[in-house]
Structure formats: C-alpha cells, structure tokens
Amino acid sequence: MTPETVGSGVIQGGWEYIYAAYALSWVMLIGYTASLWFRAPRGGEE
C-alpha cells in the first residue's frame, strides 16, 4: 500500500453488489405487494 493509493476515494468494481441489491429490492417489493393482494378482503362475500 503506497501513500498515493491510500485515501484516494475511488472504488474499483463493485457493480455486482449494486445489481444484487436492486434485484433483492425488487423481489422483496413484488413479494410484499403480492402478499397484500392475496390477503386483501374481497367484496361481495357476505
């Protein structure tokens, strides 16, 4: 580790984590929406 590279503030790569985070967020959002849809009371069932 040289003094030139310490604290440069540049992250190399890491896009896989960003893609995984977005994918996980969408999966969770879709799953939550589906759970609300299936648990919602239906009209006309009296």
Side-chain angles (χ1 to χ4, degrees):
M1 201 180 292
T2 64
E4 292 84 21
T5 58
V6 174
S8 64
V10 178
I11 298 174
Q12 298 295 322
W15 284 104
E16 295 83 12
Y17 296 107
I18 294 171
Y19 295 143
Y22 270 104
L24 181 62
S25 298
W26 276 107
V27 166
M28 296 298 290
L29 182 62
I30 291 170
Y32 180 64
T33 302
S35 74
L36 290 178
W37 180 270
F38 288 120
R39 292 186 295 157
R42 304 288 184 236
E45 297 178 10
E46 296 180 8

